[in-house]
Amino acid sequence: MKRILIILSIALFIGQLLCQFTYAQVNVVLQDNEIPGMIIHRPVRIAYWPIAIVKGMPVDTEGVYQDATIQGLEVSIKYTEFGNTNEAHQAVTWHSTNMQSGFYPGLWDGATNKSIGDESWYSPNPGGGNTILFRSGRICVLAGCIGVGDQEKQNQVAELLAKPVEDKIKKGGRVILPYDE
């Protein structure tokens, strides 16, 4: 009987540890100075990721949006988590082909990484800015520079934004909405 109680106690302890691990979620949204010199301008806010047009109306999924400055460049990042990888794939594919900016598969020539996430696209803006669109698992991210500037520096900063987010996602990170915190 004593042996059974000890086994049950150990099982309960392990079960509690697993529950704590399950509920301890890492937020993929970047924080001040997570990237050296990154300054968030205002708290994250709810954003919507268009995934399709149905009967002339956009169908959106809720996500998070933030503005920041890195190395003197204005940047914006949008994060959205979908129910499964297929939904995320459909959303990022739809976005890459239906939004105003022209997106190209992969990353630009000279990028440090060959790709980011499971799927990636980039959108160079000849007037200024560069955007990376990527999907990693169930999460889609749109990260890029805003405005006129040195294209090479904008490429580096866009990539600098995307890589730590991808790393957090690979470690089990989630998009935590402000009202879920």
Side-chain angles (χ1 to χ4, degrees):
M1 181 68 156
K2 191 174 182 180
R3 187 179 208 180
I4 291 174
L5 287 175
I6 291 172
I7 292 171
L8 287 174
S9 295
I10 292 171
L12 180 62
F13 176 73
I14 291 171
Q16 288 174 337
L17 283 176
L18 289 175
C19 285
Q20 286 176 358
F21 178 73
T22 301
Y23 292 112
Q25 296 178 359
V26 174
N27 194 347
V28 299
V29 176
L30 295 171
Q31 305 301 313
D32 271 337
N33 291 314
E34 191 169 343
I35 296 173
M38 180 175 178
I39 301 167
I40 307 295
H41 293 300
R42 55 182 148 168
V44 296
R45 58 202 181 283
I46 299 297
Y48 297 91
W49 191 287
I51 56 173
I53 302 293
V54 177
K55 296 182 182 177
M57 298 296 293
V59 176
D60 296 332
T61 297
E62 223 172 32
V64 174
Y65 183 83
Q66 69 184 157
D67 297 310
T69 303
I70 300 177
Q71 297 177 9
L73 295 175
E74 298 295 314
V75 298
S76 66
I77 313 161
K78 187 188 290 189
Y79 315 79
T80 305
E81 184 169 348
F82 294 87
N84 58 54
T85 56
N86 188 44
E87 285 177 14
H89 167 74
Q90 290 176 18
V92 77
T93 302
W94 189 89
H95 193 92
S96 71
T97 57
N98 290 289
M99 299 311 285
Q100 289 178 344
S101 298
F103 283 94
Y104 301 94
L107 295 179
W108 53 90
D109 289 338
T112 303
N113 299 284
K114 297 232 183 267
S115 68
I116 292 184
D118 299 319
E119 301 175 88
S120 58
W121 293 262
Y122 74 100
S123 177
N125 182 343
N130 190 3
T131 303
I132 295 175
L133 169 66
F134 73 94
R135 178 191 65 81
S136 187
R138 307 177 328 154
I139 297 175
C140 296
V141 178
L142 185 65
C145 300
I146 304 165
V148 178
D150 177 354
Q151 189 70 44
E152 187 173 327
K153 183 176 179 181
Q154 290 178 340
N155 289 351
Q156 291 169 348
V157 169
E159 205 170 349
L160 184 66
L161 279 171
K163 193 63 182 156
V165 174
E166 177 195 28
D167 292 343
K168 285 176 145 186
I169 294 168
K170 286 181 177 181
K171 292 177 183 170
R174 307 281 311 272
V175 176
I176 300 174
L177 301 174
Y179 52 77
D180 288 339
E181 293 184 302

